[in-house]
Amino acid sequence: MPIIEQYFHQLIDMGGSDLHLAQGQPPKVRAHGSIKSIAEEILDEASITTMLHEICEEKAWLRFLEKGDLDFAYEMDESSRFRCNYLKQQHGLGAVFRIIPTKIASLEQLGIPPVVKEFCNIRSGLVLVTGPTGSGKSTTLAAMIDYINTNFTRHIITVEEPIEFVHRNKKSIITQREVPIQTSSFADGLRAALREDADIVLVGEMRDLDTISLALTAAETGLLVFGTLHTNNARKTVDRIIDVFPSDQQSQVRTMLAASLKGVVAQLLMKKSDGKGRAAVNEVLVSTPAVGAIIREGATQKLYDVIIGGKAQGMQFMDDAIWHKLRDGYVTPMEAYMKAIEKKRFQPFLPPEDAGVAVASGGDIQK
């Protein structure tokens, strides 16, 4: 048994989410939001090198030593899988391991708006799931892929760094490729998918011009492309895609995006008021002729009004989703205030002891 698995077992027993290892420090676990040591011994260079090396493929290990960073997934047993990030830090080597649920939750169990299922039913176009790091984008995308896998006969190719949720073939054929092990980059994996009889491609991260350009082309040529971006709402998502391109190409890109974009699902995680876990809240943009016209014009500030007026199509504004969680008692007024876009809407609900903290944080002037 690899030495590191003793710490994985402790992480699971504590109900934690992340294991932190760093040369010169004792091993630590994040559980229920707090980080604490789980042993007294200080990890020296020999012990941490042995632990990290023995669960890592040799090719990936050599790449880590050269580059200083590495992402991959490690499966301890059928019910325990971890996303692994290796890094070099001031005092030597370090690593963070996050537990990945091996059971894929359904969209209903995650509380995702019903309209998101409609994005899984379409045959071509671009669907973006967005949000900050750690907002549950991968979990939501896994639920969407599982819904398709359960209900349709498709060839689904995923390009991920690393592969988090492992999908078994149901009605569909699923090909999962990991960057940089099975394909050298997201762009290379997406380019290859165009020649691999794919119906659906999931791009784990659309982080550069080449990948975004290929995703738009794939969506235009008849594939259904799911992608992720680190943006907080629909308007910022559209702006980010267009701004990646040189200014002389942006008019053409707006036309391509207007034609291919089918929807944006922006996601945040909010701490539940009872302290037991977190709940997802979503902003949803569904492509309509009005949305297409706005994107072509470059007038993305108008998307706010389209989302507010598009409830009949299943659209949802982020602050309205947060308001519903607050109204139903799922989250505290302070949590709602800190996650909201238009903070003045939530300021009257803050208890006096929290109002001062909110003002001190500068949150009341965020737009």
Side-chain angles (χ1 to χ4, degrees):
M1 180 180 84
I3 299 167
I4 201 169
E5 291 191 0
Q6 63 179 310
Y7 297 129
F8 288 160
H9 286 297
Q10 282 183 265
L11 175 66
I12 293 165
D13 292 343
M14 292 173 65
S17 60
D18 299 85
L19 169 67
H20 291 253
L21 301 180
Q23 191 171 323
Q25 294 282 325
K28 298 173 183 177
V29 159
R30 182 185 292 276
H32 312 297
S34 300
I35 295 179
K36 53 188 174 184
S37 299
I38 55 171
E40 292 184 3
E41 76 265 22
I42 302 297
L43 296 172
D44 59 22
E45 182 179 2
S47 61
I48 195 167
T49 300
T50 299
M51 280 193 287
L52 300 188
H53 193 181
E54 68 178 343
I55 63 165
C56 182
E57 290 186 10
E58 191 63 26
K59 180 180 172 184
W61 177 255
L62 294 174
R63 185 174 183 273
F64 164 60
L65 294 180
E66 178 189 350
K67 303 285 187 183
D69 288 287
L70 177 69
D71 286 297
F72 67 101
Y74 175 71
E75 192 167 294
M76 183 169 69
D77 53 47
E78 283 188 4
S79 59
S80 305
R81 188 172 169 83
F82 302 87
R83 186 177 73 196
C84 314
N85 174 257
Y86 287 8
L87 59 123
K88 290 182 179 177
Q89 44 98 11
Q90 183 182 8
H91 302 292
L93 302 183
V96 180
F97 304 87
R98 171 163 291 183
I99 291 179
I100 303 169
T102 51
K103 186 176 186 305
I104 299 172
S106 68
L107 291 166
E108 290 85 358
Q109 288 169 332
L110 295 173
I112 306 299
V115 70
V116 173
K117 270 190 183 174
E118 294 179 22
F119 297 144
C120 303
N121 297 335
I122 58 181
R123 294 304 298 258
S124 65
L126 178 65
V127 176
L128 299 169
V129 177
T130 74
T133 301
S135 60
K137 298 186 295 294
S138 297
T139 305
T140 297
L141 276 167
M144 294 170 77
I145 294 297
D146 189 60
Y147 172 78
I148 296 168
N149 190 18
T150 303
N151 292 282
F152 301 104
T153 53
R154 306 275 193 269
H155 180 205
I156 303 165
I157 296 176
T158 76
V159 186
E160 305 168 75
E161 185 187 15
I163 293 170
E164 295 190 26
F165 294 90
V166 176
H167 294 270
R168 315 295 178 195
N169 291 347
K170 295 179 183 176
K171 282 192 173 181
S172 292
I173 302 168
I174 301 189
T175 304
Q176 293 186 263
R177 307 188 72 199
E178 185 164 315
V179 176
I181 297 168
Q182 283 101 32
T183 183
S184 58
S185 68
F186 287 108
D188 285 346
L190 183 48
R191 194 177 287 111
L194 298 172
R195 303 188 299 271
E196 291 164 354
D197 189 35
D199 299 297
I200 297 167
V201 182
L202 184 153
V203 187
E205 202 167 320
M206 291 169 55
R207 61 167 73 134
D208 57 56
L209 173 60
D210 200 12
T211 306
I212 291 171
S213 179
L214 282 164
L216 283 170
T217 302
E220 270 201 326
T221 55
L223 293 183
L224 175 56
V225 179
F226 292 107
T228 71
L229 287 168
H230 290 111
T231 46
N232 290 353
N233 57 50
R235 178 188 171 181
K236 286 182 181 177
T237 300
V238 173
D239 288 340
R240 174 73 59 82
I241 286 182
I242 292 164
D243 290 345
V244 163
F245 290 85
S247 55
D248 62 330
Q249 295 179 27
Q250 289 183 1
S251 176
Q252 179 190 354
V253 170
R254 280 196 291 268
T255 300
M256 289 176 69
L257 186 61
S260 61
L261 185 67
K262 300 301 181 185
V264 178
V265 183
Q267 184 161 305
L268 295 173
L269 287 183
M270 303 183 71
K271 295 177 184 175
K272 292 183 180 178
S273 54
D274 61 7
K276 297 177 181 177
R278 294 179 294 175
V281 287
N282 298 96
E283 177 167 298
V284 182
L285 172 70
V286 178
S287 185
T288 63
V291 169
I294 286 168
I295 293 173
R296 280 191 296 273
E297 290 169 21
T300 53
Q301 70 277 5
K302 295 180 182 177
L303 289 175
Y304 170 87
D305 294 325
V306 171
I307 294 170
I308 295 294
K311 290 180 181 176
Q313 286 88 28
M315 296 198 220
Q316 181 169 268
F317 182 53
M318 184 63 81
D319 280 3
D320 288 342
I322 293 172
W323 163 249
H324 292 145
K325 294 290 185 189
L326 176 62
R327 181 196 64 192
D328 295 340
Y330 282 108
V331 301
T332 64
M334 185 64 173
E335 179 72 358
Y337 175 89
M338 295 305 290
K339 293 289 171 69
I341 297 168
E342 185 57 61
K343 299 195 179 290
K344 288 181 181 177
R345 175 177 176 182
F346 295 87
Q347 204 163 349
F349 300 97
L350 292 173
E353 64 270 21
D354 283 343
V357 175
V359 172
S361 73
D364 59 322
I365 58 172
Q366 181 180 331
K367 297 289 183 184

